[in-house]
Amino acid sequence: MSNIAGKIWGQTELIHKNGVLEFHRIDYKAGYKCSEHEHKYKWNGFFVESGKMLVRVWQDDQGLVDETILKAGDFTQVKPGKVHQFEGLEDGVAFELYWAEFNHDDIVRRTSGTVVDNKVVRLDTKKSKK
């Protein structure tokens, strides 16, 4: 599956996507920026193969902008809900990934459980051998 699209900052090529991941190869040009944007649910990762890229992330709770400069071999990721943008500092190639993360702390309990008939059964102890 290959899908190439021209952009103001260069071009992007979709290499693979499935229900939980997108993988793109991007050619970016020095002095050009992508839009300031955010993803509601997806993480956005950047791995630079060549050139130099600046990634900006707006910190909405403080009014600050974090800036990370990536060179060949560097990787950074942006959390969902964070406004971000990349800018080419030198012409280059990067791989852009999007993924959703399984939340291990997603349980919301209505009760804390109960003991039936005042009997507690422990499954984490070994039975003694007779």
Side-chain angles (χ1 to χ4, degrees):
M1 168 190 335
S2 182
N3 184 12
I4 297 174
K7 301 282 189 173
I8 189 79
W9 46 261
Q11 85 177 17
T12 182
E13 178 183 3
L14 175 62
I15 295 172
H16 178 76
K17 72 177 180 178
N18 59 36
V20 296
L21 172 81
E22 286 184 36
F23 181 51
H24 298 254
R25 181 182 187 275
I26 60 175
D27 290 292
Y28 58 91
K29 299 186 285 188
Y32 288 82
K33 303 174 189 176
C34 75
S35 64
E36 296 175 12
H37 66 281
E38 67 181 284
H39 305 280
K40 290 182 181 182
Y41 307 107
K42 296 185 288 191
W43 286 77
N44 197 178
F46 300 92
F47 177 83
V48 172
E49 182 178 66
S50 64
K52 230 185 236 185
M53 173 188 281
L54 170 66
V55 177
R56 292 182 182 88
V57 180
W58 280 260
Q59 303 300 325
D60 28 58
D61 57 339
Q62 302 170 25
L64 301 174
V65 180
D66 289 338
E67 295 186 338
T68 303
I69 296 175
L70 304 174
K71 57 188 183 317
D74 290 342
F75 175 78
T76 195
Q77 59 191 12
V78 180
K79 293 179 181 181
K82 292 289 186 183
V83 175
H84 59 285
Q85 173 186 57
F86 70 80
E87 176 180 349
L89 299 179
E90 298 174 359
D91 288 356
V93 173
F95 294 94
E96 187 175 18
L97 297 104
Y98 301 97
W99 69 94
E101 188 168 279
F102 182 80
N103 184 346
H104 297 278
D105 298 318
D106 71 343
I107 190 167
V108 177
R109 298 182 194 282
R110 286 184 43 170
T111 67
S112 59
T114 58
V115 175
V116 178
D117 297 328
N118 291 326
K119 295 179 183 176
V120 176
V121 177
R122 299 270 321 247
L123 300 176
D124 60 340
T125 58
K126 291 182 180 180
K127 293 181 180 180
S128 60
K129 295 183 180 181
K130 292 183 182 179

